[in-house]
Structure formats: structure tokens, C-alpha cells
Amino acid sequence: MRMGRLSRAWVSLSLGGCLAIVPLAWQAPTLMAQSEQSELTSDSARTERVEEVAAKAIEFLKVRGQLEDGSFSATQGPGVTALVLTAVLRNGVDADVPFVKKGLAYLEDLIHDDGGIYTEDSRVKNYETCLSIMAFAEANGDGRYTEVIERAKAFVVGEQYDEAEGKTPEDPFYGGTGYGSKGRPDLSNTAVLIEALIAAGEDADSEAIQRALYFVSRAQNLESEHNTLPFPQLNPDGGFYYTPANGGESQAGTLDNGGLRSYASMTYAGLKSMIYAGVDKDDQRVQAAVEWLEKNYDLESNPGMGTAGLYYYYHTVAKSLSAYDEPTFTDEAGTAHDWRAELLAELAGRQQDDGSWVNSENPRWMEDNPSLVTAYALIALSYCR
């Protein structure tokens, strides 16, 4: 399987509690997006368009996004900054370009003796460290951050629920991780952990990643030998929800019978996490996730969540379908989608005149922060070439 730059992928910012439900069906793109898609069918055309769109975004971040201390968000700690740095590095900017170097220095100042990379008194140490691993891994072409990454890897593995916390493989917490301080684990943060470990050089069959796979499998509405929790019996649709821990929770709400609703951003996160963990395409977990996504292919909304977390969704779609490693994705109706061309056209059509993106339809989960949202979009673009 072609993995491309899989080891440099990441995910971030867990989606908050939104109960908005939208029809789970693919919607035709706008006429403008359709027109642009028809011009992006070749690799060379897509690459040229990606470079054009990305250049505007990078200029925005360089000129208008960065603060004097090197960060890209004064109030959000290293998380947004790590996302931005990963995004620009994935789009070809060198680690020694002054604004990137300044951002990396900001992250370096937050390295602690325990190997974690976080702000003082942070309640999201695991989350911040995982995202920082991604950024340092992108900048580590000459090995300058190898020791930093290794120590950070040990830190985030220590944040994972396992036998050290009295959790056995039968426990819904087992293998998962949360934002930090041993809070409730969730699929979004566990997906971050898996990607951070791969970026740090772990193999798919490493103990930590295989522990995480226990948790990922239990966040799926699929009853199997990997998931004997009651939730799939109430909603056996094969999609994914936020967490099986603490009695289970879906940010898309619950069914009348108490089942946890599946939604697209977590289903893509679950799919890519399984692939990163070495699960084969013919495994029933992968097949069930793909079937759910075939029924709910949509690039105008985050199915199950409306426009909430839309750009988080876009970059998760890009990473997941890239890992799935098929040139097209065929929906339930039999329509084969050139997802790279479609996603590129959608993002290009949503870009602001100043080169940034912002979720003007729904500001939940910080998607009114242009540096964050522009980072998401740039990450998605890096998979559209």
C-alpha cells in the first residue's frame, strides 16, 4: 500500500458538543466548483492549482498570522502554532525560512523536562505534545529534532490508558487517550496519538498503536469480536462516534433508543486510524466504515454535524482517503468521485481574498480563528496534489 507522507499526518482539535443533525447524503457541488473540478483531472493541473492556492494561504500566515513571540494564536498555547507549522512545512516551506524558524523556536521554548511540549498549568498536555511532535517531525529532515521527538513520544505513550492505570483490554478506556491529565479518552485525541507515534517513528504493530486500536474499534457502531459494547446493537450502521468511555458519547447526539449517532468526521478519523494501525481493507471494520462513508459522501457539510467543524472535517477526509489509497471514491449511488479534484475545488472556492479560510457558517470549535482554519485547509491541500 502506498503510504506517501503518512508518517507526517496528524489530526487535531476534538469536536465539541453539537446536536445539529443534517441529512446524510452527498450534495452536488456548486456550478463554480463543478467547473473547476473539470479542469483538475490531471495530476499536473491539480498540483499547479494547489501551489497557487497554498501560496496565498502561506503568505497570509506569514504576514498576518504570526505574533511577535513566534506563535500563531496568543491564547491557545502551542496547539494552533504546531498545526500551522505542520501545514506550511507539508506545503514545501523550508524549516529554516525565518517565520517558520521563529515558530519552531516558540515550540522549543515549551519543551519540559518530562519530554512534554505544553504551556505551564496546561490541562491539554497530551494534545499539545502530540501536535508538536507532528510539527517537529516535518522539520526534522536533518535530524535536528530527533531527541526532542523521542522524548515527546515517551511522554504521550505515558498518557495512554493501559495497565499502569489499572485498565485491562476489557475496559472501554483501554488504549485511548484524552486531552491530558488522564481525562476521559476520546477518538479524536486517540487518532492524534496514533499519528504522532507514527510520525515519531513507531511501526503500526507497536504496542502503543495496537493498544490504541482497541479503543478505536470500540468507537465504531459495529458489533464484532473487537467490540462487544452495547452501542452497536442500538445503531449498527458501521460509522464512528466520539467515545465509548464513561457510558459512551456522540457529538451528533443519540437516537430515541439510546444509540449513539455516527458522524462523518469521526468516521473518517476512525477509518484512517485503523489503516495507520495496519488493519487491512478487507477487515470488516474497514469495510463497514467505508460503507457508511459511501452513503454519506459530502464535501459541503460534515454529515451528522452540519457545518460545525467543517475544516477539521476537510483535513480528516483528505488524510483518510489518501491512506485508503484509491484514486476515486465511489458513493452508494455508484458515482465515482475524484475526491482530490473535488476537495481542491471546494477549498479554492471557499478561500478568502486575503488567502485565509474561516468557517463563516459556524464558528464552533474555534473555526472563527483564521490561523487554525487556514492550517486545516493547507493540510487538506497537501493531499490533493
Side-chain angles (χ1 to χ4, degrees):
M1 180 175 66
R2 177 179 59 81
M3 299 301 285
R5 297 183 68 186
L6 171 60
S7 64
R8 304 296 176 83
W10 51 264
V11 69
S12 71
L13 289 185
S14 171
L15 296 179
C18 174
L19 302 182
I21 307 301
V22 298
L24 301 184
W26 180 75
Q27 301 174 19
T30 63
L31 291 176
M32 181 178 295
Q34 286 177 325
S35 176
E36 177 149 20
Q37 287 170 24
S38 67
E39 300 172 359
L40 298 173
T41 55
S42 71
D43 291 346
S44 59
R46 282 200 308 273
T47 297
E48 182 178 354
R49 185 61 170 141
V50 167
E51 299 296 338
E52 177 185 357
V53 175
K56 288 178 61 179
I58 292 167
E59 185 67 13
F60 167 82
L61 291 168
K62 174 183 175 181
V63 175
R64 299 182 60 182
Q66 191 168 42
L67 303 175
E68 186 59 34
D69 64 357
S71 74
F72 289 85
S73 186
T75 60
Q76 300 302 324
V80 173
T81 298
L83 288 168
V84 169
L85 293 173
T86 303
V88 299
L89 288 162
R90 282 192 60 87
N91 280 278
V93 180
D94 191 89
D96 288 322
V97 168
F99 87 98
V100 176
K101 193 171 183 178
K102 187 176 182 179
L104 290 167
Y106 167 80
L107 294 184
E108 290 172 32
D109 286 342
L110 297 176
I111 298 171
H112 289 254
D113 291 341
D114 60 7
I117 305 163
Y118 51 84
T119 54
E120 293 292 342
D121 301 320
S122 173
R123 298 177 63 186
V124 293
K125 294 178 181 180
N126 174 67
Y127 165 77
E128 292 176 336
T129 302
C130 283
L131 296 186
S132 296
I133 288 173
M134 303 301 167
F136 285 133
E138 289 290 343
N140 199 39
D142 59 2
R144 71 182 76 175
Y145 292 117
T146 298
E147 183 179 353
V148 169
I149 292 168
E150 284 298 308
R151 294 179 62 235
K153 178 177 72 173
F155 176 84
V156 297
V157 169
E159 291 287 299
Q160 186 181 31
Y161 280 101
D162 57 18
E163 288 81 0
E165 290 75 38
K167 303 298 184 183
T168 67
E170 290 71 36
D171 194 297
F173 277 61
Y174 186 80
T177 193
Y179 283 105
S181 302
K182 296 298 182 183
R184 180 204 59 189
D186 60 75
L187 176 56
S188 183
N189 277 293
T190 303
V192 173
L193 173 67
I194 292 172
E195 294 183 62
L197 292 175
I198 292 176
E202 290 287 287
D203 293 328
D205 60 357
S206 75
E207 291 183 6
I209 290 177
Q210 290 304 305
R211 280 196 299 267
L213 183 58
Y214 274 87
F215 186 87
V216 172
S217 298
R218 288 173 175 150
Q220 186 175 22
N221 274 316
L222 178 70
E223 189 173 8
S224 72
E225 62 181 304
H226 309 286
N227 186 6
T228 58
L229 297 177
F231 311 118
Q233 300 173 28
L234 301 174
N235 183 27
D237 66 4
F240 284 75
Y241 47 86
Y242 191 58
T243 181
N246 276 6
E249 180 183 349
S250 170
Q251 305 297 356
T254 59
L255 301 172
D256 290 342
N257 67 357
L260 301 177
R261 293 183 184 271
S262 302
Y263 58 109
S265 51
M266 285 301 98
T267 302
Y268 278 110
L271 174 62
K272 69 180 176 58
S273 295
M274 290 188 295
I275 294 172
Y276 291 0
V279 180
D280 293 332
K281 284 184 178 180
D282 59 359
D283 188 283
Q284 63 176 323
R285 291 167 290 177
V286 171
Q287 291 183 342
V290 170
E291 288 175 6
W292 191 95
L293 294 169
E294 288 171 348
K295 296 175 183 177
N296 299 287
Y297 182 86
D298 184 5
L299 293 180
E300 292 189 347
S301 72
N302 174 7
M305 302 298 291
T307 55
L310 185 62
Y311 287 85
Y312 173 98
Y313 169 69
Y314 285 149
H315 94 281
T316 309
V317 169
K319 289 186 289 186
S320 179
L321 293 184
S322 178
Y324 190 61
D325 197 29
E326 297 290 344
T328 60
F329 188 80
T330 303
D331 65 23
E332 184 182 38
T335 302
H337 297 273
D338 184 341
W339 65 267
R340 289 183 173 87
E342 292 180 7
L343 182 55
L344 172 54
E346 190 70 37
L347 289 169
R350 291 176 177 271
Q351 190 174 31
Q352 305 292 309
D353 290 341
D354 63 5
S356 69
W357 285 268
V358 68
N359 191 342
S360 57
E361 298 169 81
N362 196 321
R364 284 177 178 264
W365 308 303
M366 290 174 54
E367 289 206 350
D368 56 352
N369 181 324
S371 290
L372 169 66
V373 177
T374 301
Y376 283 154
L378 277 171
I379 289 290
L381 285 171
S382 73
Y383 290 92
C384 292
R385 289 181 173 84

mmCIF file of all heavy atoms in Angstrom, residues 38-73:
data_model
loop_
_atom_site.group_PDB
_atom_site.id
_atom_site.type_symbol
_atom_site.label_atom_id
_atom_site.label_comp_id
_atom_site.label_asym_id
_atom_site.label_seq_id
_atom_site.Cartn_x
_atom_site.Cartn_y
_atom_site.Cartn_z
ATOM 1 N N SER A 38 -13.663 20.037 -13.352
ATOM 2 C CA SER A 38 -13.416 19.511 -14.693
ATOM 3 C C SER A 38 -12.044 19.889 -15.209
ATOM 4 O O SER A 38 -11.518 19.253 -16.121
ATOM 5 C CB SER A 38 -14.493 20.024 -15.657
ATOM 6 O OG SER A 38 -14.383 21.435 -15.834
ATOM 7 N N GLU A 39 -11.443 20.917 -14.620
ATOM 8 C CA GLU A 39 -10.122 21.362 -15.047
ATOM 9 C C GLU A 39 -9.007 20.774 -14.193
ATOM 10 O O GLU A 39 -7.831 21.066 -14.409
ATOM 11 C CB GLU A 39 -10.056 22.897 -14.985
ATOM 12 C CG GLU A 39 -11.078 23.582 -15.877
ATOM 13 C CD GLU A 39 -11.124 25.080 -15.654
ATOM 14 O OE1 GLU A 39 -10.361 25.564 -14.792
ATOM 15 O OE2 GLU A 39 -11.914 25.755 -16.327
ATOM 16 N N LEU A 40 -9.344 19.934 -13.220
ATOM 17 C CA LEU A 40 -8.361 19.424 -12.273
ATOM 18 C C LEU A 40 -8.220 17.910 -12.327
ATOM 19 O O LEU A 40 -7.875 17.276 -11.344
ATOM 20 C CB LEU A 40 -8.752 19.853 -10.848
ATOM 21 C CG LEU A 40 -8.791 21.353 -10.585
ATOM 22 C CD1 LEU A 40 -9.363 21.632 -9.197
ATOM 23 C CD2 LEU A 40 -7.418 21.970 -10.727
ATOM 24 N N THR A 41 -8.488 17.340 -13.487
ATOM 25 C CA THR A 41 -8.480 15.886 -13.598
ATOM 26 C C THR A 41 -7.076 15.309 -13.738
ATOM 27 O O THR A 41 -6.872 14.126 -13.491
ATOM 28 C CB THR A 41 -9.330 15.438 -14.794
ATOM 29 O OG1 THR A 41 -8.853 16.105 -15.985
ATOM 30 C CG2 THR A 41 -10.793 15.797 -14.578
ATOM 31 N N SER A 42 -6.109 16.107 -14.120
ATOM 32 C CA SER A 42 -4.745 15.595 -14.259
ATOM 33 C C SER A 42 -3.924 15.955 -13.032
ATOM 34 O O SER A 42 -4.184 16.945 -12.349
ATOM 35 C CB SER A 42 -4.077 16.172 -15.504
ATOM 36 O OG SER A 42 -3.782 17.544 -15.329
ATOM 37 N N ASP A 43 -2.904 15.130 -12.768
ATOM 38 C CA ASP A 43 -2.028 15.393 -11.623
ATOM 39 C C ASP A 43 -1.341 16.743 -11.750
ATOM 40 O O ASP A 43 -1.215 17.481 -10.764
ATOM 41 C CB ASP A 43 -0.975 14.291 -11.502
ATOM 42 C CG ASP A 43 -1.575 12.958 -11.089
ATOM 43 O OD1 ASP A 43 -2.741 12.942 -10.641
ATOM 44 O OD2 ASP A 43 -0.873 11.940 -11.216
ATOM 45 N N SER A 44 -0.903 17.081 -12.948
ATOM 46 C CA SER A 44 -0.181 18.340 -13.138
ATOM 47 C C SER A 44 -1.091 19.532 -12.904
ATOM 48 O O SER A 44 -0.683 20.532 -12.293
ATOM 49 C CB SER A 44 0.424 18.404 -14.541
ATOM 50 O OG SER A 44 -0.577 18.299 -15.537
ATOM 51 N N ALA A 45 -2.341 19.435 -13.358
ATOM 52 C CA ALA A 45 -3.278 20.544 -13.164
ATOM 53 C C ALA A 45 -3.601 20.723 -11.688
ATOM 54 O O ALA A 45 -3.680 21.851 -11.194
ATOM 55 C CB ALA A 45 -4.553 20.299 -13.971
ATOM 56 N N ARG A 46 -3.790 19.608 -10.989
ATOM 57 C CA ARG A 46 -4.082 19.704 -9.557
ATOM 58 C C ARG A 46 -2.906 20.304 -8.806
ATOM 59 O O ARG A 46 -3.071 21.170 -7.959
ATOM 60 C CB ARG A 46 -4.429 18.327 -8.985
ATOM 61 C CG ARG A 46 -5.823 17.843 -9.283
ATOM 62 C CD ARG A 46 -6.236 16.761 -8.299
ATOM 63 N NE ARG A 46 -5.259 15.695 -8.223
ATOM 64 C CZ ARG A 46 -5.233 14.630 -9.022
ATOM 65 N NH1 ARG A 46 -6.138 14.525 -9.980
ATOM 66 N NH2 ARG A 46 -4.311 13.700 -8.867
ATOM 67 N N THR A 47 -1.708 19.815 -9.113
ATOM 68 C CA THR A 47 -0.523 20.311 -8.419
ATOM 69 C C THR A 47 -0.340 21.805 -8.643
ATOM 70 O O THR A 47 -0.052 22.551 -7.694
ATOM 71 C CB THR A 47 0.730 19.553 -8.890
ATOM 72 O OG1 THR A 47 0.596 18.174 -8.549
ATOM 73 C CG2 THR A 47 1.984 20.109 -8.226
ATOM 74 N N GLU A 48 -0.530 22.248 -9.861
ATOM 75 C CA GLU A 48 -0.388 23.674 -10.160
ATOM 76 C C GLU A 48 -1.401 24.497 -9.377
ATOM 77 O O GLU A 48 -1.077 25.557 -8.831
ATOM 78 C CB GLU A 48 -0.550 23.911 -11.660
ATOM 79 C CG GLU A 48 -0.372 25.353 -12.087
ATOM 80 C CD GLU A 48 -0.487 25.542 -13.585
ATOM 81 O OE1 GLU A 48 -0.597 24.535 -14.320
ATOM 82 O OE2 GLU A 48 -0.484 26.715 -14.038
ATOM 83 N N ARG A 49 -2.635 23.994 -9.313
ATOM 84 C CA ARG A 49 -3.679 24.726 -8.598
ATOM 85 C C ARG A 49 -3.422 24.714 -7.096
ATOM 86 O O ARG A 49 -3.614 25.727 -6.405
ATOM 87 C CB ARG A 49 -5.040 24.114 -8.905
ATOM 88 C CG ARG A 49 -6.220 24.874 -8.298
ATOM 89 C CD ARG A 49 -6.306 26.275 -8.816
ATOM 90 N NE ARG A 49 -7.560 26.908 -8.413
ATOM 91 C CZ ARG A 49 -7.676 28.173 -8.038
ATOM 92 N NH1 ARG A 49 -6.595 28.967 -8.022
ATOM 93 N NH2 ARG A 49 -8.843 28.673 -7.692
ATOM 94 N N VAL A 50 -2.974 23.578 -6.558
ATOM 95 C CA VAL A 50 -2.636 23.510 -5.139
ATOM 96 C C VAL A 50 -1.566 24.528 -4.810
ATOM 97 O O VAL A 50 -1.658 25.260 -3.803
ATOM 98 C CB VAL A 50 -2.173 22.093 -4.746
ATOM 99 C CG1 VAL A 50 -1.530 22.113 -3.351
ATOM 100 C CG2 VAL A 50 -3.337 21.113 -4.745
ATOM 101 N N GLU A 51 -0.525 24.589 -5.625
ATOM 102 C CA GLU A 51 0.564 25.536 -5.372
ATOM 103 C C GLU A 51 0.058 26.973 -5.356
ATOM 104 O O GLU A 51 0.459 27.777 -4.511
ATOM 105 C CB GLU A 51 1.659 25.370 -6.425
ATOM 106 C CG GLU A 51 2.318 24.000 -6.468
ATOM 107 C CD GLU A 51 3.065 23.663 -5.198
ATOM 108 O OE1 GLU A 51 3.447 24.585 -4.452
ATOM 109 O OE2 GLU A 51 3.266 22.455 -4.948
ATOM 110 N N GLU A 52 -0.835 27.276 -6.261
ATOM 111 C CA GLU A 52 -1.377 28.638 -6.348
ATOM 112 C C GLU A 52 -2.201 28.987 -5.110
ATOM 113 O O GLU A 52 -2.023 30.052 -4.499
ATOM 114 C CB GLU A 52 -2.239 28.759 -7.601
ATOM 115 C CG GLU A 52 -2.917 30.097 -7.772
ATOM 116 C CD GLU A 52 -3.861 30.124 -8.961
ATOM 117 O OE1 GLU A 52 -3.941 29.109 -9.694
ATOM 118 O OE2 GLU A 52 -4.535 31.156 -9.153
ATOM 119 N N VAL A 53 -3.091 28.090 -4.734
ATOM 120 C CA VAL A 53 -3.955 28.339 -3.581
ATOM 121 C C VAL A 53 -3.136 28.356 -2.292
ATOM 122 O O VAL A 53 -3.328 29.214 -1.417
ATOM 123 C CB VAL A 53 -5.067 27.276 -3.514
ATOM 124 C CG1 VAL A 53 -5.910 27.439 -2.254
ATOM 125 C CG2 VAL A 53 -5.958 27.355 -4.756
ATOM 126 N N ALA A 54 -2.203 27.405 -2.167
ATOM 127 C CA ALA A 54 -1.391 27.321 -0.961
ATOM 128 C C ALA A 54 -0.489 28.539 -0.792
ATOM 129 O O ALA A 54 -0.277 29.009 0.337
ATOM 130 C CB ALA A 54 -0.554 26.051 -0.987
ATOM 131 N N ALA A 55 0.041 29.054 -1.875
ATOM 132 C CA ALA A 55 0.944 30.213 -1.786
ATOM 133 C C ALA A 55 0.244 31.406 -1.157
ATOM 134 O O ALA A 55 0.820 32.121 -0.324
ATOM 135 C CB ALA A 55 1.483 30.569 -3.166
ATOM 136 N N LYS A 56 -1.003 31.632 -1.534
ATOM 137 C CA LYS A 56 -1.771 32.734 -0.944
ATOM 138 C C LYS A 56 -1.984 32.509 0.552
ATOM 139 O O LYS A 56 -1.892 33.443 1.349
ATOM 140 C CB LYS A 56 -3.126 32.872 -1.647
ATOM 141 C CG LYS A 56 -3.080 33.427 -3.055
ATOM 142 C CD LYS A 56 -4.466 33.478 -3.663
ATOM 143 C CE LYS A 56 -5.397 34.385 -2.882
ATOM 144 N NZ LYS A 56 -6.756 34.454 -3.492
ATOM 145 N N ALA A 57 -2.276 31.278 0.914
ATOM 146 C CA ALA A 57 -2.523 30.973 2.323
ATOM 147 C C ALA A 57 -1.253 31.128 3.154
ATOM 148 O O ALA A 57 -1.287 31.663 4.269
ATOM 149 C CB ALA A 57 -3.070 29.552 2.435
ATOM 150 N N ILE A 58 -0.144 30.657 2.627
ATOM 151 C CA ILE A 58 1.121 30.762 3.351
ATOM 152 C C ILE A 58 1.511 32.221 3.539
ATOM 153 O O ILE A 58 2.002 32.613 4.610
ATOM 154 C CB ILE A 58 2.214 29.970 2.612
ATOM 155 C CG1 ILE A 58 1.912 28.462 2.702
ATOM 156 C CG2 ILE A 58 3.594 30.275 3.192
ATOM 157 C CD1 ILE A 58 2.726 27.616 1.754
ATOM 158 N N GLU A 59 1.281 33.031 2.541
ATOM 159 C CA GLU A 59 1.591 34.454 2.662
ATOM 160 C C GLU A 59 0.735 35.100 3.745
ATOM 161 O O GLU A 59 1.211 35.939 4.527
ATOM 162 C CB GLU A 59 1.363 35.157 1.325
ATOM 163 C CG GLU A 59 1.771 36.630 1.297
ATOM 164 C CD GLU A 59 3.269 36.847 1.443
ATOM 165 O OE1 GLU A 59 4.037 35.865 1.314
ATOM 166 O OE2 GLU A 59 3.670 37.997 1.698
ATOM 167 N N PHE A 60 -0.533 34.708 3.820
ATOM 168 C CA PHE A 60 -1.402 35.223 4.877
ATOM 169 C C PHE A 60 -0.834 34.871 6.246
ATOM 170 O O PHE A 60 -0.745 35.728 7.137
ATOM 171 C CB PHE A 60 -2.808 34.652 4.738
ATOM 172 C CG PHE A 60 -3.664 34.894 5.954
ATOM 173 C CD1 PHE A 60 -4.309 36.112 6.130
ATOM 174 C CD2 PHE A 60 -3.799 33.919 6.932
ATOM 175 C CE1 PHE A 60 -5.079 36.346 7.270
ATOM 176 C CE2 PHE A 60 -4.560 34.147 8.071
ATOM 177 C CZ PHE A 60 -5.203 35.367 8.239
ATOM 178 N N LEU A 61 -0.478 33.613 6.442
ATOM 179 C CA LEU A 61 0.039 33.182 7.741
ATOM 180 C C LEU A 61 1.340 33.888 8.085
ATOM 181 O O LEU A 61 1.560 34.285 9.233
ATOM 182 C CB LEU A 61 0.243 31.668 7.734
ATOM 183 C CG LEU A 61 -1.045 30.838 7.680
ATOM 184 C CD1 LEU A 61 -0.737 29.383 7.373
ATOM 185 C CD2 LEU A 61 -1.836 30.959 8.978
ATOM 186 N N LYS A 62 2.187 34.063 7.118
ATOM 187 C CA LYS A 62 3.481 34.711 7.333
ATOM 188 C C LYS A 62 3.322 36.173 7.712
ATOM 189 O O LYS A 62 3.974 36.662 8.645
ATOM 190 C CB LYS A 62 4.319 34.578 6.065
ATOM 191 C CG LYS A 62 5.635 35.338 6.090
ATOM 192 C CD LYS A 62 6.338 35.202 4.747
ATOM 193 C CE LYS A 62 7.602 36.050 4.693
ATOM 194 N NZ LYS A 62 8.270 35.946 3.373
ATOM 195 N N VAL A 63 2.447 36.888 7.007
ATOM 196 C CA VAL A 63 2.333 38.335 7.169
ATOM 197 C C VAL A 63 1.333 38.729 8.245
ATOM 198 O O VAL A 63 1.572 39.658 9.027
ATOM 199 C CB VAL A 63 1.957 38.994 5.819
ATOM 200 C CG1 VAL A 63 1.708 40.486 5.988
ATOM 201 C CG2 VAL A 63 3.059 38.746 4.793
ATOM 202 N N ARG A 64 0.222 38.005 8.320
ATOM 203 C CA ARG A 64 -0.863 38.434 9.194
ATOM 204 C C ARG A 64 -1.172 37.466 10.330
ATOM 205 O O ARG A 64 -1.898 37.818 11.260
ATOM 206 C CB ARG A 64 -2.131 38.649 8.360
ATOM 207 C CG ARG A 64 -1.976 39.721 7.279
ATOM 208 C CD ARG A 64 -3.252 39.945 6.510
ATOM 209 N NE ARG A 64 -4.352 40.373 7.368
ATOM 210 C CZ ARG A 64 -5.589 40.598 6.936
ATOM 211 N NH1 ARG A 64 -5.885 40.422 5.659
ATOM 212 N NH2 ARG A 64 -6.525 40.980 7.777
ATOM 213 N N GLY A 65 -0.648 36.244 10.254
ATOM 214 C CA GLY A 65 -0.999 35.256 11.257
ATOM 215 C C GLY A 65 -0.056 35.167 12.431
ATOM 216 O O GLY A 65 -0.480 34.883 13.554
ATOM 217 N N GLN A 66 1.222 35.439 12.208
ATOM 218 C CA GLN A 66 2.212 35.201 13.259
ATOM 219 C C GLN A 66 2.338 36.381 14.204
ATOM 220 O O GLN A 66 2.364 37.537 13.783
ATOM 221 C CB GLN A 66 3.581 34.878 12.647
ATOM 222 C CG GLN A 66 4.584 34.351 13.664
ATOM 223 C CD GLN A 66 5.821 33.775 12.987
ATOM 224 O OE1 GLN A 66 6.342 34.338 12.032
ATOM 225 N NE2 GLN A 66 6.291 32.632 13.485
ATOM 226 N N LEU A 67 2.460 36.066 15.492
ATOM 227 C CA LEU A 67 2.626 37.088 16.520
ATOM 228 C C LEU A 67 4.105 37.276 16.831
ATOM 229 O O LEU A 67 4.966 36.509 16.386
ATOM 230 C CB LEU A 67 1.852 36.688 17.764
ATOM 231 C CG LEU A 67 0.350 36.441 17.549
ATOM 232 C CD1 LEU A 67 -0.305 35.942 18.818
ATOM 233 C CD2 LEU A 67 -0.342 37.694 17.033
ATOM 234 N N GLU A 68 4.412 38.274 17.621
ATOM 235 C CA GLU A 68 5.800 38.628 17.882
ATOM 236 C C GLU A 68 6.570 37.488 18.560
ATOM 237 O O GLU A 68 7.776 37.314 18.329
ATOM 238 C CB GLU A 68 5.862 39.886 18.759
ATOM 239 C CG GLU A 68 7.271 40.420 18.982
ATOM 240 C CD GLU A 68 7.985 40.774 17.695
ATOM 241 O OE1 GLU A 68 7.313 41.224 16.732
ATOM 242 O OE2 GLU A 68 9.215 40.579 17.626
ATOM 243 N N ASP A 69 5.888 36.696 19.387
ATOM 244 C CA ASP A 69 6.580 35.608 20.091
ATOM 245 C C ASP A 69 6.785 34.373 19.224
ATOM 246 O O ASP A 69 7.342 33.367 19.673
ATOM 247 C CB ASP A 69 5.839 35.233 21.370
ATOM 248 C CG ASP A 69 4.447 34.657 21.116
ATOM 249 O OD1 ASP A 69 4.016 34.601 19.940
ATOM 250 O OD2 ASP A 69 3.781 34.272 22.102
ATOM 251 N N GLY A 70 6.349 34.443 17.977
ATOM 252 C CA GLY A 70 6.506 33.322 17.058
ATOM 253 C C GLY A 70 5.295 32.433 16.948
ATOM 254 O O GLY A 70 5.210 31.579 16.055
ATOM 255 N N SER A 71 4.324 32.610 17.850
ATOM 256 C CA SER A 71 3.125 31.781 17.835
ATOM 257 C C SER A 71 2.133 32.296 16.794
ATOM 258 O O SER A 71 2.290 33.378 16.227
ATOM 259 C CB SER A 71 2.462 31.774 19.210
ATOM 260 O OG SER A 71 1.813 33.004 19.468
ATOM 261 N N PHE A 72 1.087 31.514 16.580
ATOM 262 C CA PHE A 72 0.026 31.900 15.654
ATOM 263 C C PHE A 72 -1.323 32.025 16.356
ATOM 264 O O PHE A 72 -2.346 32.161 15.699
ATOM 265 C CB PHE A 72 -0.061 30.904 14.494
ATOM 266 C CG PHE A 72 1.099 30.997 13.551
ATOM 267 C CD1 PHE A 72 2.282 30.320 13.814
ATOM 268 C CD2 PHE A 72 1.027 31.792 12.418
ATOM 269 C CE1 PHE A 72 3.368 30.419 12.956
ATOM 270 C CE2 PHE A 72 2.102 31.903 11.550
ATOM 271 C CZ PHE A 72 3.281 31.223 11.817
ATOM 272 N N SER A 73 -1.301 31.976 17.673
ATOM 273 C CA SER A 73 -2.518 32.198 18.446
ATOM 274 C C SER A 73 -2.109 32.464 19.888
ATOM 275 O O SER A 73 -1.584 31.566 20.563
ATOM 276 C CB SER A 73 -3.448 30.986 18.375
ATOM 277 O OG SER A 73 -4.683 31.256 19.002
#
